[in-house]
């Protein structure tokens, strides 16, 4: 059904693409797959919707993945943080900055607990947070997060790494 979903996405037939994802999940249930495998189906589908340019579809699939994590009371792991961050990025792209900030904060808290405050994930998410603050004209607060993001990436990857360049781009936005 994944290949069929791709065909429908290329045709911008969102309803049939959603149907294919649900059919994949239904088949997985019959095969006694784990919750992680259900989450993976929705995350892969979300990525395909994003690549197709249908952000509302990506959002829906990410929400479905998060609902599964909630149902199994597993909202404090790396995958949950990735989902929060991905939904935050989706909302950032769609201009829903306040809701995006809430999700970036959730992702940051999980990653700080799991990987430490100096991790790439924490710094990158703070960079995303700073983009929301810029959009909300909170430039002084955004500057603090953007500088922290840049400094950490210079330390982790060096001055001329593409990831560090993205951090410099955040600063340029301010």
């Amino acid at each position: 059904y994944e290949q069929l979903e791709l065909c429908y996405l290329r045709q911008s037939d969102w309803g049939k693409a959603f149907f294919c994802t649900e059919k994949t999940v239904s088949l997985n249930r019959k095969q006694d797959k784990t919750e992680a495998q259900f989450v993976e189906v929705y995350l892969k589908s979300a990525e395909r919707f994003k690549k197709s340019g249908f952000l509302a579809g990506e959002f829906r699939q990410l929400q479905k993945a998060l609902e599964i994590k909630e149902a199994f009371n597993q909202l404090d792991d790396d995958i949950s943080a990735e989902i929060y961050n991905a939904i935050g990025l989706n909302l950032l792209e769609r201009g829903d900055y306040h809701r995006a900030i809430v999700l970036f904060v959730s992702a940051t808290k999980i990653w700080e607990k799991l990987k430490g405050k100096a991790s790439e994930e924490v710094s990158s998410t703070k960079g995303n947070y700073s983009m929301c603050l810029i959009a909300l004209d909170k430039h002084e607060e955004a500057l603090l997060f953007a500088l922290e993001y840049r400094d950490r990436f210079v330390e982790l990857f060096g001055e001329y790494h593409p990831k560090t360049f993205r951090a410099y781009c955040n600063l340029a936005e301010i």
Side-chain angles (χ1 to χ4, degrees):
Y1 282 96
E2 286 181 18
Q3 294 302 317
L4 192 55
E5 180 186 276
L6 283 171
C7 291
Y8 288 131
L9 287 172
R10 285 189 200 107
Q11 298 168 6
S12 299
D13 193 338
W14 314 122
K16 288 181 182 173
F18 283 128
F19 172 79
C20 289
T21 305
E22 294 306 320
K23 195 69 173 166
T24 301
V25 169
S26 175
L27 290 171
N28 283 343
R29 281 199 176 102
K30 289 178 184 174
Q31 298 171 7
D32 290 328
K33 300 285 183 171
T34 66
E35 72 57 46
Q37 290 166 315
F38 292 126
V39 169
E40 186 178 333
V41 168
Y42 283 114
L43 293 179
K44 286 181 178 178
S45 178
E47 187 61 32
R48 290 190 292 272
F49 273 90
K50 181 179 181 175
K51 286 179 182 174
S52 298
F54 187 43
L55 295 178
E58 176 200 22
F59 179 82
R60 179 178 184 255
Q61 302 305 67
L62 290 168
Q63 283 291 114
K64 291 272 197 176
L66 193 58
E67 287 169 11
I68 294 169
K69 298 295 286 180
E70 286 174 347
F72 286 89
N73 198 23
Q74 295 181 348
L75 293 174
D76 59 352
D77 63 357
D78 197 44
I79 293 172
S80 296
E82 288 176 22
I83 295 170
Y84 285 132
N85 191 55
I87 295 172
L89 287 169
N90 179 285
L91 294 170
L92 172 62
E93 211 169 322
R94 294 166 50 199
D96 194 344
Y97 308 116
H98 293 287
R99 283 178 54 203
I101 286 171
V102 171
L103 292 157
F104 291 142
V105 168
S106 295
T108 300
K109 286 179 181 177
I110 293 169
W111 275 324
E112 282 179 345
K113 187 172 73 173
L114 295 175
K115 299 179 180 226
K117 292 183 179 196
S119 72
E120 175 184 351
E121 293 84 357
V122 168
S123 299
S124 181
T125 305
K126 286 183 178 181
N128 298 336
Y129 184 92
S130 74
M131 294 304 292
C132 290
L133 294 172
I134 292 166
L136 294 169
D137 289 326
K138 296 182 178 184
H139 297 285
E140 287 182 29
E141 194 177 348
L143 181 61
L144 296 174
F145 285 101
L147 286 169
E148 183 180 340
Y149 170 45
R150 189 262 338 253
D151 292 347
R152 177 66 55 215
F153 272 50
V154 166
E155 186 179 306
L156 290 171
F157 304 109
E159 192 77 26
Y160 302 105
H161 193 278
K163 290 182 179 183
T164 306
F165 179 73
R166 182 174 169 248
Y168 277 110
C169 289
N170 267 26
L171 280 171
E173 291 280 331
I174 301 171

